[in-house]
Amino acid sequence: MSVLELEDVNAFYGNSHILFDLDLTVEEGEVVALLGRNGAGKTTTLRAITGTVPRREGRIDYRGQDITDESVDDISDMGVKLVPEERRVFPTLTVHENLQVARDACETPREIDEMYDIFPALSDLRGNDARNLSGGEQQMLSVARALVQDPDLLLLDEPTEGLAPVIVDDLREVFADVVQRDVTVFITEQNVEFALELSERAYIIEKGANAWEGSIDELEEQEDLLDEYLSVSTAEAD
Ligand SMILES: Nc1ncnc2c1ncn2[C@@H]1O[C@H](COP(=O)(O)OP(=O)(O)OP(=O)(O)O)[C@@H](O)[C@H]1O
Ligand SMILES: [Mg+2]
């Protein structure tokens, strides 16, 4: 049984039809990338999975259960956690308090110390207000807040967006650790290099529809694909 399976998924914002008959699957323990240009529908796909898109049709199965009509809270309680594009931290709470709040909101959380093991930078900053963290540190905190809730399926929406290359290098190392931690990961990125290093398989979507799917090895061999569908980032992909 797949962890996640989308079949003929369509999504709408009001009258705008955004996703068109999207199909994809994510298997146990995999790290799968969802790639595509600006506006291709990556965030909307994650919102369809978590139930926050206003209207969705088709079928979304999570561990064999149809969640297409489940509420946002129920889907979250099942263990599907999204780290959104806009980093979600409480600015006036400290790093530690941010983790505590996330932990308290969950029935079967992980230990905060485990988060400090994964993100040593956060351990050093535990008494600092989140608003004083750099973008990269806030991103780590955002991921740590999701991880402390012991997700079964972690959805990461463009974790490197807006971060300086040197910060992205740091994140790459910690994320390589995160993905080893007994969690299935579905990650969207425009930074193709970052996504390819972490992932085993990828889907490319264009204008809300499936354009390509395959292994990372296949994708790396077919540079024309990157040019065709992801021209924005190919310069960084080498
Ligand atoms: N709340 C909304 N209301 C109406 N249209 C929206 C809304 N959010 C997104 N869209 C449109 O849906 C399409 C897909 O957007 P989406 O945010 O899913 O793309 P994306 O692949 O995540 O892009 P990016 O790489 O810029 O984050 C775009 O055309 C966008 O303008
Ligand atoms: Mg997006």
Side-chain angles (χ1 to χ4, degrees):
M1 184 199 314
S2 305
V3 172
L4 182 69
E5 185 164 5
L6 273 61
E7 206 183 298
D8 287 335
V9 168
N10 288 267
F12 308 80
Y13 295 110
N15 290 328
S16 305
H17 191 171
I18 306 294
L19 299 183
F20 297 85
D21 295 333
L22 206 62
D23 291 326
L24 59 87
T25 56
V26 179
E27 305 294 342
E28 182 86 54
E30 270 193 316
V31 182
V32 176
L34 179 64
L35 307 174
R37 273 187 225 201
N38 265 315
K42 303 181 296 296
T43 299
T44 304
T45 303
L46 299 186
R47 287 194 187 136
I49 296 165
T50 56
T52 52
V53 79
R55 187 171 139 221
R56 52 193 175 155
E57 289 173 0
R59 185 172 169 118
I60 303 175
D61 278 5
Y62 170 65
R63 294 198 174 278
Q65 182 181 346
D66 184 354
I67 59 165
T68 322
D69 296 320
E70 297 289 343
S71 71
V72 176
D73 287 345
D74 285 347
I75 293 169
S76 172
D77 288 346
M78 287 176 198
V80 181
K81 304 291 177 191
L82 170 69
V83 179
E85 269 173 306
E86 66 287 0
R87 290 152 204 144
R88 209 174 281 165
V89 299
F90 295 110
T92 59
L93 299 185
T94 65
V95 166
H96 196 79
E97 287 163 348
N98 263 281
L99 292 171
Q100 197 71 55
V101 169
R103 193 172 189 278
D104 291 347
C106 173
E107 276 179 27
T108 53
R110 294 192 185 187
E111 295 303 324
I112 291 181
D113 278 347
E114 194 191 342
M115 299 306 114
Y116 291 147
D117 279 348
I118 303 173
F119 305 96
L122 293 183
S123 179
D124 297 338
L125 296 164
R126 64 177 81 192
N128 289 34
D129 283 357
R131 65 180 158 196
N132 295 330
L133 303 186
S134 71
E137 291 158 355
Q138 286 189 7
Q139 185 57 266
M140 288 185 204
L141 180 55
S142 200
V143 176
R145 283 174 46 83
L147 267 190
V148 82
Q149 298 191 334
D150 197 20
D152 175 57
L153 173 63
L154 185 62
L155 308 174
L156 297 170
D157 199 359
E158 297 209 39
T160 68
E161 197 192 12
L163 300 178
V166 49
I167 309 292
V168 172
D169 285 343
D170 285 352
L171 267 189
R172 185 179 294 128
E173 275 180 38
V174 279
F175 275 48
D177 186 11
V178 167
V179 302
Q180 303 296 324
R181 303 255 169 171
D182 191 26
V183 62
T184 302
V185 180
F186 190 47
I187 178 173
T188 83
E189 262 300 341
Q190 287 208 38
N191 184 331
V192 173
E193 185 191 8
F194 187 86
L196 299 196
E197 269 184 36
L198 287 175
S199 315
E200 292 134 45
R201 276 195 313 122
Y203 289 87
I204 299 177
I205 58 172
E206 187 174 56
K207 295 186 181 138
N210 288 91
W212 185 86
E213 66 178 278
S215 72
I216 296 303
D217 290 346
E218 289 171 279
L219 184 56
E220 285 179 327
E221 280 165 19
Q222 293 176 258
E223 276 179 34
D224 53 321
L225 276 173
L226 298 178
D227 285 338
E228 186 174 351
Y229 295 116
L230 310 161
S231 52
V232 187
S233 304
T234 40
E236 294 165 33
D238 301 316

